[in-house]
Amino acid sequence: MLFFLIGGVLAMAIRWQLAFPWKPLPFLGKPLDPQSYLQVVTMHGTIMLIFFIIVVLVSAFGNYLVPLQIGARDMAFPTLNMLSFWAAAVPSAVLFIAGFFVPGGPAAAGWTMYPPVSAGGAFSPSHTGHILWVLSIILVGASSVMSGINFVATIVRLRAKGMDYFMMPLTTWAYFLLSVIIIVGTPVLASGLIMLLLDQLGVTTFFLSSSAKAGSRPLLFQHVFWFYSHPVVYLMILPAWGFVADIFSVFSRKPAFGYKVTVYSMLAVVLLGFVVWGHHMFVSGMNPLLSTPFSILTAFVGVPTGVIMFNTFCTLYKGSIRPSAALLSATAVLVIFVSGGLTGLFNAMSALDIYVHDTYWVVGHFHFTVGGASMFAVFAGTYFWYPKMFGKKMNETLGKLHVVLSFFPFYLLFLGMHLIGLSGHVRRIADDTGYQFLHPARPAQMGLSYLAFTLFSVQLIFMFNFFYSLYKGKKAEDNPWEAATLEWETSSPPPHENFHREMVVERGPYEYGVEGVKDYLPQGVYAEL
Amino acid sequence: MWLFISTEVMMFSGLIGCFLAFKVSDPHFTELSHHLNKTLAGINTLILITSSFTYALGLDFIKRDNKQKFSLCLILTVLLGCAFLILKTFEYKDKFAHHIFPKTNVFYSSYFTLTGLHGLHVLAGVVLMLILLIYNLKKHFSASYYDSVEAAGLYWHFVDMVWVFLFPLLYFG
């Protein structure tokens, strides 16, 4: 079980690299026609969100870490787990990549796939690509649901003896709560995708039809789509928050500040996240009266989010900091997410959102919150848990270099997008030279591209470090970071049953700086100090 | 199993929600629902409810270690499930004969999608029960082990419940 999860992390890391397209500028040697540009944009979005974040950050890291952190031998339903990978995730990936090889090419309707473009053969040459996309996402959704069920069953049933719910590390809490989103939200997307698929095949007329009498309503897809897709962004960010909380705790030798409050805030984010989907649709043509409640509720979500960020920051405050690549990366997550979250509050106000909708302001916003936070969270998680997973240590200097060299281009790149977006630069257009009012943005666009190229190249340091350390890295001991959570009380890498003995727990997960003890108290009872 | 059922609930809720959204904005729905065959669907409803009863009876038997009667009840449930599907097929054929297809309009898109998806779930349930039957014939279940029987029972009752919702929603618009 552990092995193919690790393999999955590697494969996705590689695929992620391949999927990182640079902005196709019209004068750049290989001209992309507008249709291809849209396809690149669509596939970039879908690969990053679904195949990188959901598969790697949520499923791969989660299936690996949750049993370890609660002292279990494996997930509650190992067969279901295998099914979710081999029978759902893999075919999903196959179908998805097949889109590149069919006539008409892959999907080109944006990762949001709104009908009628995504539904009608008459509206797009990539019709087959669209069908494959929908089939692929239905499968990966099924895989996700299986994982969600598995997480809940595992956390409810397989915690080590003595481990109450409020003694679980925040990473595990994050996976527990995101499973709620998976279970409630994903099937609704499935229903929307089924309707879209049937429309695409010409069987039904939910969103698209040739006759006005049929009663089709394309806007309905947007409602169904965003009912899932908004909570899903909270699903995506929860593991990042969990990682950051745990990592901050270890490297500042302090318990997580406000642990219980953080847990309740995470829960609040999950619940509130389900009632704000309309903020993606302020300009869609939905009833403007709905904009008000969606606006207000969206602002409310900012409150628990802010609390979590504050608590996380306070964990570092006055801590005994041990600098490491994992800590740097986790700090990057915090900085980037808070920056992005602040612009989120602006977007919540429908009056402003109407202006910035579908501009680069929004692209900048979500790359900060979703892209940056998740990306640096994956780095942080990798730097932190790599010794546990592979039994070798990654090179710390290279790691720190990678994080610092990634952070600055990343931040400037997407900050720049906010600025050109604010001046009106619309998104998803292949060539902006035709627009008189956008001429001042041309030098900015070029600068942004160079930043992006730099950012992409810096990832090679990470890739090199990752693979080189597998073979030539220093051997890692059980607990190289002197962390207190349960996963560090087994060997690196863990044996097949995860632990060498049955784990019993007597304390919380963050007993650092305890009086009368050398430095910290591990969570399991029989560990020697 | 409860978790899985909640995901199914959410999926059907999504579809039913859309149906209601369409219905609210479309004045033709009520009139169109009269074209559906209430009698046939009514019989189908009774069939499914009875099948839930026969399954529960079977579960009771296996709890008392009566493997033969459990098999019998499973067979009855399977037969009832198949009867449902056969009647459904007649209903669909009748529609197609009158040139009514899912793409005729949104009401029929919803009708065929909802009942079709439900029918697939009934079929899955029938297959599940045949698997249980095979296991039981191999003496796999007993009074001390019937967890999967209970779980499958939950699934079958869920499928029944969905139909109980769909029936009035679609046929008595």
Side-chain angles (χ1 to χ4, degrees):
Chain A
M1 210 59 32
L2 289 170
F3 283 118
F4 67 71
L5 281 172
I6 295 168
V9 169
L10 284 174
M12 285 310 131
I14 298 171
R15 172 172 286 154
W16 163 56
Q17 289 295 300
L18 291 173
F20 216 121
W22 40 87
K23 276 174 44 59
L25 291 174
F27 62 82
L28 196 74
K30 277 186 290 192
L32 273 179
D33 55 290
Q35 175 70 6
S36 305
Y37 177 76
L38 285 177
Q39 289 172 324
V40 170
V41 163
T42 306
M43 297 309 258
H44 165 74
T46 318
I47 291 182
M48 288 302 200
L49 285 171
I50 306 293
F51 292 97
F52 176 60
I53 298 180
I54 300 273
V55 174
V56 175
L57 188 58
V58 178
S59 289
F61 271 102
N63 278 302
Y64 186 83
L65 290 174
V66 167
L68 281 174
Q69 287 202 330
I70 63 173
R73 274 196 303 174
D74 200 343
M75 295 291 283
F77 300 124
T79 325
L80 187 65
N81 217 9
M82 268 217 298
L83 252 186
S84 96
F85 186 75
W86 293 107
V90 168
S92 163
V94 166
L95 277 178
F96 193 74
I97 299 300
F100 283 101
F101 299 103
V102 293
W111 84 276
T112 44
M113 291 299 268
Y114 290 169
V117 171
S118 59
F123 295 115
S124 172
S126 313
H127 192 63
T128 321
H130 288 145
I131 294 178
L132 287 172
W133 188 99
V134 172
L135 282 170
S136 163
I137 301 302
I138 291 178
L139 278 177
V140 84
S143 164
S144 196
V145 166
M146 293 188 232
S147 280
I149 294 179
N150 227 342
F151 283 144
V152 175
T154 309
I155 292 173
V156 170
R157 297 303 230 132
L158 298 182
R159 275 166 295 127
K161 211 162 85 150
M163 188 184 260
D164 290 336
Y165 282 109
F166 284 105
M167 285 160 76
M168 302 194 305
L170 282 169
T171 301
T172 307
W173 265 114
Y175 282 106
F176 192 30
L177 291 171
L178 69 81
S179 302
V180 171
I181 301 182
I182 295 182
I183 289 174
V184 175
T186 319
V188 177
L189 178 75
S191 73
L193 287 178
I194 291 175
M195 289 195 280
L196 184 61
L197 182 66
L198 289 173
D199 265 23
Q200 286 174 331
L201 298 172
V203 173
T204 53
T205 56
F206 289 111
F207 309 122
L208 175 79
S209 72
S210 43
S211 104
K213 282 195 306 160
S216 312
R217 301 187 47 196
L219 197 63
L220 196 56
F221 179 80
Q222 291 191 31
H223 280 291
V224 176
F225 178 84
W226 285 114
F227 182 82
Y228 164 73
S229 299
H230 188 79
V232 97
V233 312
Y234 295 117
L235 187 165
M236 294 179 193
I237 200 62
L238 274 169
W241 290 341
F243 288 6
V244 172
D246 280 358
I247 291 174
F248 272 15
S249 218
V250 172
F251 292 100
S252 52
R253 315 309 291 169
K254 273 181 67 192
F257 183 90
Y259 169 81
K260 259 198 180 174
V261 172
T262 303
V263 171
Y264 286 126
S265 299
M266 283 182 175
L267 179 64
V269 166
V270 165
L271 293 175
L272 279 173
F274 274 106
V275 292
V276 296
W277 76 89
H279 67 230
H280 297 271
M281 298 169 58
F282 287 140
V283 295
S284 62
M286 77 170 174
N287 193 334
L289 283 175
L290 287 175
S291 299
T292 311
F294 279 127
S295 225
I296 298 176
L297 287 166
T298 308
F300 278 158
V301 176
V303 173
T305 313
V307 167
I308 297 174
M309 294 294 102
F310 180 74
N311 284 355
T312 312
F313 174 72
C314 286
T315 306
L316 273 184
Y317 182 67
K318 286 205 174 161
S320 164
I321 306 287
R322 294 183 179 179
S324 76
L327 181 65
L328 269 184
S329 209
T331 316
V333 174
L334 185 64
V335 171
I336 291 175
F337 184 77
V338 170
S339 310
L342 288 173
T343 58
L345 277 175
F346 284 94
N347 293 336
M349 300 299 117
S350 50
L352 179 68
D353 187 75
I354 290 173
Y355 176 67
V356 296
H357 182 82
D358 267 349
T359 65
Y360 270 96
W361 168 276
V362 174
V363 178
H365 165 74
F366 64 68
H367 275 94
F368 266 177
T369 47
V370 179
S374 314
M375 188 170 91
F376 283 97
V378 167
F379 295 155
T382 311
Y383 286 125
F384 188 55
W385 279 294
Y386 186 97
K388 178 58 54 184
M389 288 188 198
F390 300 110
K392 298 269 171 61
K393 291 204 230 190
M394 285 179 92
N395 186 309
E396 271 292 298
T397 320
L398 277 184
K400 291 178 188 158
L401 197 66
H402 162 243
V403 174
V404 171
L405 286 181
S406 296
F407 177 77
F408 288 104
F410 181 89
Y411 202 87
L412 289 171
L413 168 60
F414 294 108
L415 188 67
M417 286 202 190
H418 279 88
L419 295 173
I420 57 174
L422 210 48
S423 63
H425 200 305
V426 289
R427 58 187 283 212
R428 290 182 178 157
I429 51 170
D431 179 2
D432 59 359
T433 53
Y435 297 97
Q436 189 74 327
F437 77 101
L438 288 178
H439 276 174
R442 284 263 86 233
Q445 284 284 40
M446 282 178 49
L448 291 181
S449 288
Y450 288 122
L451 283 171
F453 299 149
T454 317
L455 180 62
F456 180 76
S457 321
V458 168
Q459 304 319 306
L460 293 170
I461 305 179
F462 178 70
M463 294 270 96
F464 170 75
N465 197 356
F466 191 94
F467 289 108
Y468 183 82
S469 307
L470 274 181
Y471 298 104
K472 297 280 182 56
K474 275 202 299 230
K475 204 152 164 2
E477 59 272 29
D478 287 1
N479 197 348
W481 311 119
E482 295 191 316
T485 42
L486 274 185
E487 73 266 28
W488 300 102
E489 293 185 44
T490 181
S491 52
S492 306
H496 188 67
E497 322 78 48
N498 274 355
F499 293 93
H500 295 283
R501 56 170 199 271
E502 196 196 325
M503 301 306 293
V504 178
V505 161
E506 226 180 42
R507 295 177 270 276
Y510 302 117
E511 300 291 326
Y512 299 109
V514 180
E515 295 251 332
V517 153
K518 186 179 85 177
D519 179 35
Y520 72 105
L521 277 173
Q523 199 169 15
V525 166
Y526 301 115
E528 302 96 52
L529 278 167
Chain B
M1 180 46 80
W2 280 111
L3 286 173
F4 172 64
I5 288 180
S6 39
T7 66
E8 295 268 84
V9 167
M10 285 316 293
M11 186 179 72
F12 276 102
S13 304
L15 288 171
I16 293 178
C18 285
F19 174 77
L20 290 171
F22 281 125
K23 184 177 158 63
V24 158
S25 62
D26 191 331
H28 299 296
F29 267 40
T30 322
E31 192 255 313
L32 283 169
S33 71
H34 293 312
H35 291 261
L36 296 174
N37 192 334
K38 291 202 209 5
T39 329
L40 208 56
I43 298 174
N44 257 351
T45 312
L46 287 171
I47 289 178
L48 267 190
I49 297 180
T50 315
S51 75
S52 269
F53 170 72
T54 53
Y55 192 90
L57 195 61
L59 178 61
D60 193 55
F61 277 131
I62 193 64
K63 280 190 191 172
R64 292 187 232 245
D65 218 19
N66 194 333
K67 302 193 223 299
Q68 294 87 345
K69 291 242 169 65
F70 174 52
S71 291
L72 196 61
C73 286
L74 269 182
I75 294 173
L76 269 178
T77 316
V78 163
L79 286 175
L80 286 169
C82 292
F84 178 89
L85 291 171
I86 293 173
L87 285 184
K88 235 253 113 2
T89 321
F90 277 127
E91 220 184 321
Y92 278 18
K93 276 191 125 103
D94 180 59
K95 289 278 167 308
F96 294 156
H98 285 99
H99 296 293
I100 294 176
F101 299 102
K103 61 177 172 208
T104 312
N105 58 45
V106 159
F107 175 79
Y108 284 111
S109 292
S110 314
Y111 166 76
F112 279 107
T113 309
L114 280 168
T115 55
L117 207 56
H118 176 259
L120 283 174
H121 280 77
V122 170
L123 186 63
V126 165
V127 167
L128 190 59
M129 274 181 276
L130 286 170
I131 295 177
L132 284 183
L133 186 62
I134 296 175
Y135 271 114
N136 192 41
L137 292 171
K138 292 198 197 164
K139 307 252 188 274
H140 194 71
F141 298 119
S142 67
S144 43
Y145 178 65
Y146 50 83
D147 291 354
S148 357
V149 181
E150 263 183 336
L154 277 180
Y155 176 76
W156 188 250
H157 295 315
F158 160 74
V159 168
D160 187 20
M161 281 285 349
V162 170
W163 178 257
V164 166
F165 273 98
L166 284 185
F167 177 52
L169 193 65
L170 290 171
Y171 291 80
F172 292 97

